[in-house]
Amino acid sequence: MSRASSAADRLRGSALGITAGLIGWFVLVELTSGILQGFYVPLFSDIVTSLGIHDSDVNWFEAAQLLLSALVVPVMAKLGDMYGHKKILLIAAILTAAASWWLAFAGDFWSFLAAWALQGFYVVWLPLEIALVFERGRRQNRGTSLTRRAAGLLVVGLEAGAIIGALAAGRIFAATGGDLKVTLLVPAIAVTLIALVIWLGVPESEPMPGRRLDSWGFVILAWGLLLVTGALVYMRMIGELGLGVGGWAWVAALLAGGVAVFVWFVKYELRQPDPAIDIRVLRRPEMWPVQATAFLVGISLLGAQGPLSTYAGTDSSLGYGLGLDATARSNVIGVYLVSLIVGAVLFAVTSRRANPRLILIVASALVGIGYTLFLPFHTELWQVLLNLSIAGIGSGALVGALPAAAAAAAPHGQTGVASALTNTTKTIGGTFASAVFGVVLAAGAGAVASQTAASLGGYMTVWAICAGGGFVAAVLLFFVPKVAFADEAPAEEPDDAVAGAGAPVAPVEPVRRRRRRAATADRGRGGNALTVPPGAS
C-alpha cells in the first residue's frame, strides 16, 4: 500500500474524516434547529396581532411545546435505539416540517397552538445525532472521544442558527411588506430541505434486534412528566390567572401526584427485562451526576433568559436595571449566544486531551461564577456582559458535553435514550426555574416607586439560584469516577499469519505494548532501545 493511500485511509478513519462525512450533515441539521428556535421570537408581537390574542397567551405556546417535548423525546430516542436512529430522526424532521407548514397557514389561536406544540419534535434531533455519531465511532473504539468533539461542533451550529434566525426574521418580515404568512414559510422550507438532507446524506446506525417497546413504562412516565411539568406551568401562570391560594393547592396536588407516579414508574421498570428507562443504568456513578447536572444547568440556560431580558429593559432610574430598548436587549442576548458558541468550540478543542470529567466540572463552575458575579456587579452594561459571557462559556460547553457524556456512560443499545434524557431533565429544570422565577419576580412587582418592574431582591434571588445550580452541579460531578467517559480499549485482532485456518487464535498484543516489550528485550541484550521488530507497526 502506498504512503498516499495509507494517509487517505487514516483520514477517512480520523475525527476529521468522520466530521466531513457525517458531522457536516448534522451541523446543517442543528443550524436549522437553531433557526427554528430563533426565528419566531422577534415575530411574537406580530403573531399576537394576527391571531387576535393577548401578549400573555404567548406563554401557552412555550408550555405546550415543553409538555410535548418532555413526553415524546424518551419514546423517540428508544425507538431509535431499537429500529435505527436515522429512521426516527427522519420521522421527527418530517413531523417538524409538517408542523412548520401548518404554522404558516394557521388562522386561529388553537390551530396555531397545536402546530406550535407539534413543532417541538425538533428537540429529539440532537440526541439522535449524538447516538448516530457515537455508534459510528464505537466501531473504531473511539466513540466517546469523537462524540465529544462532534457535540461541540453541533452546538456551534445550533447557536449560530439561533442567531441567524433571530436576525433574519425581522428583515424578512420587513422585506415582504409585513406579510406574516410569507415570512413564516421560510422556516417551513428550511425544515423540509433538512429532511431531504437526512434522507439522502445520513447513514443508518445498527439497530438492536430482539428489543421491545415498554409501552406501559412509557405511559407511566408520560403521566409523571405531564403532572410535574403541568404543575410548573400552572405555577407560573397563577398570577396571570388570579387564582390565589386555590391555585397553589392545585400546584401542590399536581406535584405530589407526579412524584407518586415517578415512584411507581421506578418500581415498575426494575421488574422489566427491557425497560423504557433502565433505572440500573441511571444509578451508575457515571450517569446520575450527568443527568442531575442537566437539570441544574437547565435552570440558568432555559429559565433565566426571561429575567435577563426584563432586567436589561428595567428603567435604570430605579437604581438597578440597564434601561435598554428592544434593539439593545437583542444585542445583549446576542453576546450571550456568542459566548455559548465560544464555550462549545473550546469544549470541542480541549476534549481531545483534557479529562472529560474535569471539563464538566470546570464548565459547571463557570456557570456558578458568572451568576455569582451578578450579585455585586449588575449596574453597568459591561458588568452584565462580562458575567453573561463567563456563564455562557460554561453553558456552551455543557450543552455539548452532557449528551456525549450520557452516551458514553450508557451500554450498547441505550445511547439514544441516555442522551435524550439529558434533554428531558434540562427541560424540566428550565420549566421549574421559569415557574419559580416568575413567582419570585411577580412578588416584588410594584414594590418600588409604583412601577410594574420586579424588585432588585427578586433579581438577586434569580441570580443566586442560577449560581447555586452551577456550583452544586460541579460538586456532584466529583462523584463521577475519574476514568469515566473514556474510549473503550481497542478490540484485539487475530494474527492470521501465525494462526492456521480454523485453529484457536491467541490475541495479539496492542502495538504500543509490543513495542515496549521489544524495547525492553533489546536493552537486556545491549541493543538499541528504540528498535522496533519488523511488522509491529
Side-chain angles (χ1 to χ4, degrees):
M1 179 181 295
S2 67
R3 181 175 300 178
S5 61
S6 177
D9 289 340
R10 286 196 300 271
L11 176 62
R12 283 193 292 270
S14 69
L16 178 60
I18 288 183
T19 298
L22 181 62
I23 306 307
W25 298 120
F26 288 158
V27 168
L28 292 177
V29 176
E30 286 307 303
L31 192 72
T32 306
S33 175
I35 289 174
L36 286 179
Q37 296 177 51
F39 191 88
Y40 296 95
V41 176
L43 302 174
F44 273 151
S45 297
D46 304 288
I47 291 172
V48 165
T49 302
S50 175
L51 297 177
I53 59 178
H54 192 271
D55 285 348
S56 61
D57 292 330
V58 172
N59 288 327
W60 289 105
F61 298 155
E62 180 187 4
Q65 197 169 95
L66 286 174
L67 286 172
L68 181 116
S69 64
L71 296 176
V72 303
V73 166
V75 178
M76 299 286 282
K78 181 63 178 286
L79 290 173
D81 289 335
M82 293 172 58
Y83 300 113
H85 299 104
K86 175 189 173 176
K87 291 185 181 69
I88 307 304
L89 178 61
L90 180 58
I91 291 172
I94 292 173
L95 291 172
T96 305
S100 300
W101 284 101
W102 186 3
L103 277 175
F105 295 97
D108 61 88
F109 171 72
W110 294 108
S111 178
F112 196 94
L113 179 65
W116 187 273
L118 291 174
Q119 197 184 49
F121 275 98
Y122 74 83
V123 298
V124 79
W125 292 358
L126 181 59
L128 290 172
E129 292 158 17
I130 293 294
L132 278 163
V133 173
F134 186 84
E135 288 300 313
R136 168 68 73 87
R138 182 183 58 82
R139 300 169 192 172
Q140 304 174 5
N141 300 306
R142 290 182 294 174
T144 302
S145 58
L146 290 176
T147 304
R148 286 198 301 268
R149 294 194 287 275
L153 295 175
L154 296 183
V155 174
V156 171
L158 173 65
E159 301 302 337
I163 294 174
I164 293 171
L167 294 176
R171 289 166 173 79
I172 294 174
F173 185 71
T176 59
D179 191 326
L180 184 62
K181 181 178 295 185
V182 174
T183 303
L184 295 183
L185 289 176
V186 173
I189 294 171
V191 181
T192 302
L193 292 176
I194 214 63
L196 292 174
V197 166
I198 294 170
W199 179 36
L200 298 175
V202 176
E204 183 60 279
S205 62
E206 179 182 351
M208 291 290 291
R211 302 290 297 276
R212 70 179 185 87
L213 187 66
D214 180 14
S215 302
W216 276 111
F218 278 118
V219 169
I220 298 171
L221 177 63
W223 273 108
L225 290 172
L226 190 63
L227 288 170
V228 170
T229 54
L232 296 175
V233 171
Y234 198 61
M235 181 193 302
R236 186 175 55 183
M237 296 181 177
I238 282 179
E240 297 177 7
L241 299 177
L243 298 177
V245 177
W248 286 106
W250 275 107
V251 169
L254 290 172
L255 283 176
V259 171
V261 170
F262 279 131
V263 172
W264 176 25
F265 172 75
V266 170
K267 293 181 178 180
Y268 178 84
E269 292 297 279
L270 289 173
R271 299 195 301 267
Q272 305 307 309
D274 190 6
I277 306 294
D278 197 332
I279 303 301
R280 294 177 182 85
V281 172
L282 286 181
R283 293 191 301 201
R284 291 181 178 180
E286 66 270 29
M287 180 63 80
W288 70 261
V290 171
Q291 300 295 343
T293 298
F295 175 88
L296 293 168
V297 169
I299 292 175
S300 58
L301 187 65
L302 302 179
Q305 302 314 302
L308 168 64
S309 179
T310 56
Y311 180 82
T314 298
D315 190 349
S316 57
S317 64
L318 297 175
Y320 60 95
L322 302 178
L324 303 179
D325 59 17
T327 302
R329 292 198 299 270
S330 298
N331 293 335
V332 171
I333 298 297
V335 170
Y336 179 66
L337 292 176
V338 170
S339 70
L340 291 176
I341 294 176
V342 172
V345 171
L346 289 176
F347 166 67
V349 171
T350 59
S351 63
R352 179 174 300 184
R353 294 181 176 84
N355 184 295
R357 170 178 172 268
L358 179 62
I359 293 175
L360 288 168
I361 292 172
V362 171
S364 299
L366 285 176
V367 174
I369 292 170
Y371 280 100
T372 298
L373 289 175
F374 269 106
L375 299 178
F377 306 114
H378 53 260
T379 57
E380 301 291 338
L381 178 59
W382 70 266
Q383 295 173 342
V384 171
L385 293 178
L386 176 62
N387 302 342
L388 276 179
S389 298
I390 294 173
I393 290 172
S395 297
L398 287 170
V399 169
L402 291 172
H412 181 43
Q414 298 189 38
T415 52
V417 71
S419 58
L421 278 178
T422 62
N423 192 310
T424 300
T425 52
K426 181 175 67 180
T427 299
I428 294 175
T431 307
F432 168 80
S434 181
V436 172
F437 293 165
V439 172
V440 168
L441 295 177
V448 180
S450 300
Q451 299 292 323
T452 57
S455 67
L456 178 59
Y459 286 112
M460 289 284 195
T461 303
V462 169
W463 298 328
I465 292 174
C466 292
F471 288 130
V472 170
V475 171
L476 292 179
L477 289 166
F478 277 101
F479 290 93
V480 174
K482 293 182 179 180
V483 295
F485 317 133
D487 285 319
E488 298 176 0
E492 296 179 340
E493 300 177 356
D495 192 343
D496 295 331
V498 178
V505 180
V508 178
E509 294 176 284
V511 172
R512 290 182 180 178
R513 190 184 303 167
R514 283 164 35 207
R515 286 178 175 172
R516 287 197 300 268
R517 187 164 58 84
T520 302
D522 284 339
R523 284 197 298 269
R525 294 192 298 267
N528 188 339
L530 297 179
T531 302
V532 179
S537 59

